[in-house]
Amino acid sequence: MLIARALAQAAPLLLMDEPTASLDFGNQALVLRQILRLRERGLGIVLSTHDPDQAFACATSVALLHHGRIVVQGPPESVLTPTSLSEVYGIGVRVDRLSDGRAVVTPALYP
């Protein structure tokens, strides 16, 4: 509803604070798909997320925060690396590329 209101007001920039929080997997995908459509229409979108996969899917530029400070910023491929994500989240992390080129982040579940 908030997205519809912003669009009705012709807002050139949307600020979204974890827009997929508390949504199931399917509805997260629907919201992310809509965000991509809005970006393609030329709207500016600033989005916060705790899910690196969402940043890879939607972002052209990211800022990685740790303890309220920007650790690094730039293109997702340069910022969301195994090293930077491991440091921020305090666990081992892998970043793999799928056959279609998309990146997928996987936490190390076992030491």
Side-chain angles (χ1 to χ4, degrees):
M1 188 63 158
L2 294 175
I3 294 172
R5 183 170 61 183
L7 294 175
Q9 294 173 343
L13 178 71
L14 299 178
L15 180 59
M16 300 179 172
D17 183 19
E18 298 190 57
T20 61
S22 301
L23 296 179
D24 64 40
F25 187 70
N27 283 309
Q28 287 180 27
L30 292 174
V31 169
L32 293 173
R33 188 176 305 144
Q34 184 61 38
I35 289 168
L36 289 171
R37 286 184 185 131
L38 295 171
R39 187 182 81 185
E40 290 168 2
R41 287 178 41 189
L43 270 76
I45 298 172
V46 177
L47 173 119
S48 68
T49 182
H50 286 95
D51 187 339
D53 286 334
Q54 291 183 3
F56 272 120
C58 292
T60 56
S61 180
V62 299
L64 185 61
L65 302 171
H66 189 51
H67 296 300
R69 298 186 186 272
I70 295 176
V71 176
V72 62
Q73 63 186 41
E77 297 78 19
S78 299
V79 172
L80 303 176
T81 65
T83 300
S84 65
L85 291 170
S86 293
E87 288 175 8
V88 167
Y89 288 108
I91 59 170
V93 173
R94 287 181 33 182
V95 177
D96 296 307
R97 290 279 170 188
L98 301 177
S99 60
D100 63 4
R102 289 180 296 137
V104 177
V105 178
T106 306
L109 299 179
Y110 304 101

